Amino acid sequence: QFKELNSKQFLPKTPLVSDLSYKAPKLEPVNAQSSVFIGKSLRWWEKSLHPNMIEIHSAQHLVDSLLRAGDKLVIVDFYSPGCGGCKALHPKICQLAEMNPDTTFLKVNYEEQKPMSYALRVHVLPFFRFYRGAEGRVCSFSCTNATIKKFKDALAKHGTDRCSLGPTKGLDESELLELASIGLISRDLLPSSTKDDGDKVGDLVLNENVVSNNGLKEGNAMVMA
């Protein structure tokens, strides 16, 4: 009796491993990538973006995006992570992008796209260029929170529905030529009338686009490029 009682008293409360009816609890896989993403805080220029706000990664990407827009209004937003005016204006631009879903906002990081910005003669930040269908560039300007009315007026003027006559223009021929001269886009994109002039003006374009370290302006203040 003593042996029988002892054996019952010390029986294990959990099934033995050898018991075929025992099933180990199922472990859910851990998505390491999502964990890293959750832990990563967004930088100011990555916050509050909307589907119609597209980051431009190259000159070719910019050219293609403008040509694909058709009759839609396209606003090219040149900014820099270190530009205080750009950071202050960013929430307003995101709000306007949300209010105008049919308008495409192309964001160009000046620090990552310096050669392209030089070729397009962008030396002041924040800076905006408006493009519309066959008209090509309809206006360009720099503005801040204090002068945001300039942006809103341009958006109201050029954002109205209309049909352009002719193919979408995109960048000016001179701008395409400058980008091709420094190898940022294919020369096949150049109009036939300008292809022969490419070699002649290549050196001139490079010389004109040399900007000193103090050449970029933020409003009235000089910013180190």
Side-chain angles (χ1 to χ4, degrees):
Q1 290 179 354
F2 175 76
K3 289 182 179 180
E4 184 179 355
L5 178 63
N6 228 15
S7 62
K8 291 179 180 180
Q9 182 179 358
F10 294 103
L11 281 176
K13 295 181 180 180
T14 56
L16 297 175
V17 177
S18 59
D19 188 352
L20 296 178
S21 64
Y22 173 69
K23 295 183 179 180
K26 185 178 180 181
L27 298 177
E28 294 295 332
V30 177
N31 191 334
Q33 186 175 359
S34 63
S35 301
V36 173
F37 178 77
I38 293 174
K40 178 185 176 182
S41 59
L42 293 176
R43 296 165 293 189
W44 69 258
W45 61 92
E46 298 171 333
K47 294 179 180 179
S48 306
L49 298 181
H50 298 284
N52 57 332
M53 303 179 77
I54 303 170
E55 186 72 26
I56 293 299
H57 300 292
S58 66
Q60 188 69 55
H61 188 195
L62 174 63
V63 172
D64 292 342
S65 298
L66 287 172
L67 294 178
R68 283 197 301 263
D71 290 334
K72 282 187 175 182
L73 176 64
V74 180
I75 301 173
V76 184
D77 174 7
F78 294 87
Y79 72 94
S80 171
C83 169
C86 303
K87 182 177 180 180
L89 193 61
H90 178 71
K92 289 282 188 182
I93 300 301
C94 292
Q95 184 181 23
L96 291 170
E98 183 180 17
M99 294 169 58
N100 298 271
D102 291 333
T103 299
T104 301
F105 290 72
L106 303 180
K107 297 176 61 62
V108 178
N109 187 329
Y110 176 89
E111 297 301 327
E112 294 181 356
Q113 306 295 335
K114 281 186 179 180
M116 178 176 70
S117 300
Y118 290 169
L120 297 180
R121 306 181 191 281
V122 175
H123 307 313
V124 180
L125 294 177
F127 192 76
F128 302 93
R129 285 188 171 178
F130 285 57
Y131 293 84
R132 186 70 189 256
E135 300 175 66
R137 185 170 68 190
V138 292
C139 68
S140 58
F141 53 84
S142 176
C143 77
T144 62
N145 261 336
T147 57
I148 187 63
K149 186 178 183 302
K150 184 191 301 184
F151 189 100
K152 293 179 179 179
D153 290 345
L155 186 57
K157 178 180 179 180
H158 302 293
T160 55
D161 291 337
R162 59 180 180 268
C163 182
S164 299
L165 298 177
T168 305
K169 183 177 180 181
L171 295 180
D172 294 338
E173 291 185 6
S174 60
E175 294 173 329
L176 292 172
L177 181 59
E178 293 190 13
L179 292 173
S181 298
I182 56 177
L184 293 182
I185 63 172
S186 170
R187 296 183 64 84
D188 295 336
L189 294 174
L190 297 177
S192 57
S193 60
T194 60
K195 283 183 180 180
D196 296 336
D197 299 331
D199 295 333
K200 298 178 183 178
V201 300
D203 294 337
L204 177 61
V205 168
L206 291 175
N207 291 334
E208 289 179 348
N209 288 325
V210 173
V211 179
S212 65
N213 286 337
N214 293 327
L216 176 64
K217 297 181 180 179
E218 177 189 350
N220 294 323
M222 303 298 290
V223 177
M224 299 298 289

